[in-house]
Amino acid sequence: MIPSVLPTYNRAPLEFVKGEGSWLVERDGRRFLDLGSGIAVNALGHANPDLVAALTEQAGKLWHVSNLYRIPEQQKLADLLVENTFADTVFFTNSGTESCELAVKMARKYWYEAGDAERVEIITFEGSFHGRSSAAIAAAGSEKMVKGFGPVLGGFTHLPWGDMAALKAATTDRTAAILIEPIQGEGGIRPLADEDLRAIRALCDETGALLILDEVQCGMGRTGRLFAHEWAGVTPDIMMVAKGIGGGFPLGAVLATERAASGMTAGTHGSTYGGNPLGCAVGAKVVEIVSDAGFLAGVNARAGALRQKLEGLVAAHPDVFEEVRGAGLMLGLRCKAPAADVVAAGYDNLVITVPAADNVIRLLPPLNITEDEIAEAVTRLDAAATQIESASSSD
Ligand SMILES: *Cc1c(COP(=O)(O)O)cnc(C)c1O
């Protein structure tokens, strides 16, 4: 008999009933250190007092009115994002998937309005993840995601990750946009080199193609800058945001330049919930905190400490781990042991990590994790690795 919850997930046998900062409490009372943050969502930890205050204050006033009316909380969050980024304008969604939908529509509409209705092709990359809607699975293009779901939305060209020669060859006057994650998340914490991102920007400038960055996972302070592309010193035309921006409240956004957004006039797009007062009140508090230079300096300091300890962990367990990769507090441990076993051994030792493709486990702790918690987390990962070693030596 089918379970009452549609069984599309492989769930771990864990049931958390409370969260506090970097800690999650299981129903049985065990306290886990959370290096997953609900997949980079709980950017400021669980039950963050500032976010609880922002949420409850707004909850007592007004939850939802619809975009038929002006929404001051939405205006405030949009202004904050425009002040702190390349963007001139923002549309609010409820998820990364919805941000992908709009990014694709916006790029195509731009060319349509420019009198080039055939210019619809969007170049994307293998191993990428942009969400689960029909456009987002077509964008990623992996057989695992599209198979069985009927006609795949056309107009996407998939290139090997990081193959700049293939990208140059494939970018033509039919290319509406290039869509890429500065650091692939689901794909296994695979960072794009800064010089490659600069080269992609240059290629877009040469050909006119729009640059869409998917910063749903790597954005919102995760790499130690507000957005990951800032490290390369270039800006996109359109950017997808979600995950961390709501700190756990479902919220996403598409940021764009005035030019890229120029086709999106009244009536061309919309959302019932997107940008509602409750979500935006929380989002504004997250952006206020995370965009602060002092906060980001702290992220970089903590990231350096974590990375150094992880390098030591890899050196100490060469049969379990292969390398550390990623940036800031978006780190991956490429494993030699099956990544699923490493994640499970982490559960046994009360530390939560997130599996990814390429036999990688992801470490995406709250951005405000303390140095003591980092040390404790690595001690627990060390115990997990030792458990795997002793299990395989007793086989
Ligand atoms: C999670 C993710 C998405 C999809 O976001 P949802 O909120 O799950 O719809 C898109 N792109 C990237 C890079 C992601 O990590």
Side-chain angles (χ1 to χ4, degrees), residues 41-111:
V41 167
N42 301 106
L44 297 174
H46 299 280
N48 179 287
D50 291 327
L51 300 191
V52 171
L55 179 85
T56 50
E57 194 197 321
Q58 187 60 42
K61 282 199 295 201
L62 186 65
W63 295 22
H64 177 86
V65 291
S66 113
N67 287 300
L68 291 168
Y69 314 104
R70 294 183 185 166
I71 299 176
E73 296 78 15
Q74 186 182 128
Q75 184 65 51
K76 178 178 172 189
L77 178 53
D79 289 345
L80 266 173
L81 289 167
V82 166
E83 269 164 43
N84 283 287
T85 68
F86 74 96
D88 302 314
T89 188
V90 184
F91 181 93
F92 292 104
T93 69
N94 308 287
S95 68
T97 298
E98 288 169 77
S99 294
C100 181
E101 286 292 321
L102 174 56
V104 166
K105 286 175 68 177
M106 185 183 282
R108 289 175 171 169
K109 188 69 159 38
Y110 171 83
W111 289 110

Side-chain angles (χ1 to χ4, degrees), residues 257-329:
T257 62
E258 182 166 13
R259 171 176 159 258
S262 58
M264 303 305 297
T265 50
T268 56
H269 197 65
S271 167
T272 295
Y273 290 126
N276 87 2
L278 204 49
C280 287
V282 178
K285 183 51 78 179
V286 173
V287 173
E288 257 172 44
I289 293 172
V290 174
S291 62
D292 178 74
F295 181 86
L296 289 170
V299 172
N300 283 302
R302 293 186 282 279
L306 175 57
R307 183 155 198 140
Q308 191 184 19
K309 287 190 163 63
L310 292 176
E311 298 286 0
L313 183 74
V314 171
H317 300 282
D319 294 335
V320 179
F321 301 117
E322 203 169 295
E323 62 160 342
V324 187
R325 61 198 199 193
L329 289 175

Side-chain angles (χ1 to χ4, degrees), residues 39-41 94-100 128-133 136 181 183-186 214-218 240-243 251-252 330 362:
I39 320 187
V41 167
N94 308 287
S95 68
T97 298
E98 288 169 77
S99 294
C100 181
S128 62
F129 182 79
H130 302 297
R132 295 291 196 158
S133 65
E181 293 160 82
I183 303 176
Q184 283 191 345
E186 304 303 309
D214 181 346
E215 293 228 19
V216 168
Q217 194 161 147
C218 64
M240 298 156 49
V241 177
K243 293 203 165 98
L251 180 66
M330 184 174 183
R362 272 176 282 179

